[in-house]
Amino acid sequence: MPAMWFHLAQRADLSRNIREVQLCTRQDYTAPDRYPVSLVDSSLKEENEEERINNICTALRHMKRLTTFVWQYEADIKAGLRTLDHRHEDMILTSLSQAPNLRHLMLRGQCGAHVRDGKGTRRRSYPLWTINNLESLCLLGAVWANKSNSAHIIRFIQRSPNIKHLEVPMELDGLGTCHLPCLRRVGLPLTLGAIATSLHGAITNSVIRFLQCNSNIEVLNWNTVASCLLPPDALPNLRCLSSNSGIVAGLEMSESTRRPIECLDLWDADADRLTELQNFDSSTLRKLKIANVRSLESLHIIAQKFAGITWLWLPGKYMQNCSNRWILVEYELPQLLDILSSFRNLEVFRGPALWEAVGGDCKKEQMHIAIIDLIERCPRLRQLDHCSSYEKRKAVKLIKIHRKKGMNGELEQVWYEVQRPPPGNVFDTIMRTFD
């Protein structure tokens, strides 16, 4: 890899055409590796760290068409494209700040860990603050919730009024003052772990003010830490929600319009709670993740109430009352097939429920029969989750369903194949929940 940076530093004619740079560990395969090899002299000896960083900086300055920069910074010298020296981090960000077309930026891990009161190494202003005109910004990690830097972070965000995608810690002080008229997608993770109960209300109120200031938000990923009562007129354009049930009460209060939610994931809500939703437009919901199931009948009710669902995730087991005690049990296969066939427009079924109902990967013949039966019952079905994971991309494998029709339009052949999950999109606010 050092030879590659030396090569790009020497060849400005090649570097200027690079649009995207992602720095990650050698073991990170969530995105495919793409880097030049045919023209790189592999016989070059390992250079010292200072030369390597200088070559990275030179190459970045050559990248006049660079639009996307992702740095998942780990404090591990073996990580290849990482550095333990924060002076080097500041050098790289200084070079990055000169990219005239940079629009999408993600920093996570140890980036900024040395910054206090907005100052980087040698008490100079942290070079990140000079970057502007971004459309996507992700600052992920506890360092971005450091209160001494909050005013600098807020000013930095406001230097990019055209931001459409924003992910920052919900603990960011001053978040409620940010008004971003183009904002569409928001992720607000909890980054400091356990927070004193006395701070829950202040953090939640700050987020609520932020959501009120940005009424164009369409996608929201936020796990509230306290009871949350949104004003009735908040988030009128919300389409996709990944949160807990604490936010639902406020969304249900609006009397002026029904919420046109298209994708819904409530982490702590069971299926019964979903059947009680009154102010969600039942005709718009397309993708639904159900975290808990206490009643199989509730799934049939959901299928009738939200008839347009095309994407569904179910847990591997449901809760059953046994002698006044709730226990987890697997679905019986006939029960599960009846439930899934009641979703008339189902195209994608996610989760381990089907595999656990059959008995797992050890019963391949029974699984094959179950898949064919499900395909017959769900004529629109095109994809299922497999039982095994593809560890390189930290996701389960997929079963892709193929159908072939004859000249008269009738179905002639059905088959399926197991595929690797596609590469992840680092700017996916809902974290591949609804892929």
Side-chain angles (χ1 to χ4, degrees):
M1 200 60 77
M4 180 199 75
W5 288 113
F6 175 80
H7 174 71
L8 292 176
Q10 300 297 313
R11 294 293 303 273
D13 59 320
L14 299 178
S15 297
R16 69 185 180 190
N17 292 315
I18 293 175
R19 266 69 167 183
E20 180 175 340
V21 171
Q22 293 194 35
L23 307 184
C24 59
T25 63
R26 296 180 188 275
Q27 294 76 31
D28 189 340
Y29 298 96
T30 52
D33 286 340
R34 299 192 302 271
Y35 51 87
V37 291
S38 58
L39 298 178
V40 176
D41 185 358
S42 59
S43 66
L44 286 173
K45 295 182 178 180
E46 184 81 11
E47 58 208 346
N48 64 47
E49 185 69 358
E50 201 71 25
E51 290 176 346
R52 184 175 74 95
I53 297 302
N54 284 330
N55 284 333
I56 291 175
C57 292
T58 301
L60 286 173
R61 288 194 295 271
H62 291 331
M63 297 178 190
K64 302 302 183 183
R65 298 177 183 176
L66 185 69
T67 63
T68 302
F69 185 83
V70 175
W71 195 355
Q72 305 192 55
Y73 186 154
E74 303 294 340
D76 181 358
I77 196 66
K78 297 178 182 179
L81 295 176
R82 313 292 174 78
T83 169
L84 294 175
D85 188 338
H86 288 294
R87 179 176 60 86
H88 293 160
E89 175 189 332
D90 287 6
M91 290 170 61
I92 290 172
L93 292 179
T94 297
S95 297
L96 181 68
S97 68
Q98 300 173 30
N101 294 301
L102 186 67
R103 295 296 178 265
H104 312 286
L105 174 64
M106 171 183 281
L107 301 178
R108 70 181 307 159
Q110 296 301 310
C111 282
H114 62 300
V115 182
R116 297 292 183 275
D117 300 315
K119 304 294 185 182
T121 52
R122 299 178 180 175
R123 299 301 298 166
R124 294 176 180 172
S125 180
Y126 190 44
L128 178 69
W129 312 141
T130 64
I131 296 175
N132 58 12
N133 293 325
L134 296 172
E135 295 179 6
S136 303
L137 174 63
C138 302
L139 301 177
L140 303 175
V143 298
W144 305 110
N146 186 321
K147 202 163 186 176
S148 76
N149 296 319
S150 58
H152 301 275
I153 296 171
I154 295 299
R155 283 196 295 270
F156 167 58
I157 293 172
Q158 292 175 330
R159 284 172 58 85
S160 298
N162 294 322
I163 284 181
K164 299 181 177 68
H165 178 113
L166 179 67
E167 292 184 62
V168 292
M170 70 170 75
E171 306 97 317
L172 176 58
D173 191 41
L175 181 64
T177 64
C178 281
H179 174 56
L180 303 167
C182 298
L183 191 61
R184 296 295 184 272
R185 302 181 301 277
V186 175
L188 300 171
L190 177 68
T191 59
L192 294 180
I195 298 177
T197 305
S198 59
L199 298 177
H200 287 184
I203 291 172
T204 300
N205 290 335
S206 175
V207 173
I208 289 175
R209 289 194 300 273
F210 171 74
L211 298 179
Q212 284 184 276
C213 286
N214 297 279
S215 59
N216 290 322
I217 292 173
E218 297 176 355
V219 178
L220 175 62
N221 184 1
W222 174 40
N223 188 15
T224 63
V225 294
S227 58
C228 169
L229 194 59
L230 287 172
D233 59 345
L235 300 174
N237 296 298
L238 189 64
R239 296 292 185 272
C240 190
L241 175 65
S242 183
S243 184
N244 51 22
S245 54
I247 198 173
V248 172
L251 295 176
E252 287 271 82
M253 287 179 60
S254 176
E255 299 178 357
S256 58
T257 181
R258 296 174 70 81
R259 296 282 179 177
I261 302 295
E262 298 171 6
C263 306
L264 182 62
D265 172 20
L266 297 180
W267 306 332
D268 61 346
D270 60 28
D272 289 330
R273 177 69 183 94
L274 297 173
T275 65
E276 298 169 357
L277 296 176
Q278 298 297 321
N279 203 37
F280 284 38
D281 188 343
S282 60
S283 68
T284 61
L285 189 63
R286 295 293 179 268
K287 299 184 178 184
L288 177 64
K289 183 172 183 178
I290 302 177
N292 301 292
V293 178
R294 289 176 180 265
S295 163
L296 297 183
E297 181 59 29
S298 64
L299 296 178
H300 288 285
I301 295 173
I302 289 172
Q304 293 176 0
K305 183 173 182 177
F306 303 103
I309 287 177
T310 61
W311 187 104
L312 179 68
W313 191 98
L314 290 180
K317 297 179 175 65
Y318 71 98
M319 300 187 74
Q320 189 175 78
N321 195 323
C322 180
S323 302
N324 296 320
R325 186 167 61 93
W326 290 99
I327 61 173
L328 286 171
V329 297
E330 287 100 357
Y331 301 89
E332 294 181 8
L333 183 58
Q335 286 178 328
L336 184 60
L337 293 176
D338 285 344
I339 289 168
L340 296 178
S341 62
S342 66
F343 290 87
R344 298 188 300 275
N345 293 296
L346 188 63
E347 297 178 6
V348 177
F349 179 50
R350 295 274 188 255
L354 186 62
W355 287 91
E356 296 204 15
V358 172
D361 192 33
C362 61
K363 299 185 177 180
K364 293 185 178 180
E365 182 59 31
Q366 292 93 322
M367 191 63 205
H368 170 74
I369 295 172
I371 292 174
I372 295 301
D373 195 358
L374 182 59
I375 292 172
E376 291 177 354
R377 288 171 175 246
C378 301
R380 297 174 183 265
L381 192 67
R382 56 180 175 82
Q383 199 171 87
L384 298 167
D385 273 355
H386 194 263
C387 65
S388 60
S389 297
Y390 184 61
E391 294 302 326
K392 285 188 174 182
R393 290 182 181 162
K394 300 178 177 65
V396 297
K397 295 177 182 177
L398 305 174
I399 298 174
K400 184 176 181 179
I401 297 165
H402 301 273
R403 293 179 174 84
K404 181 180 179 181
K405 291 184 178 181
M407 296 294 291
N408 58 2
E410 293 184 359
L411 190 63
E412 281 189 350
Q413 187 180 5
V414 176
W415 73 100
Y416 61 88
E417 62 177 328
V418 178
Q419 297 182 337
R420 296 175 181 176
N425 177 5
V426 295
F427 293 102
D428 178 9
T429 305
I430 304 298
M431 308 298 287
R432 299 180 66 176
T433 296
F434 299 113
D435 61 355

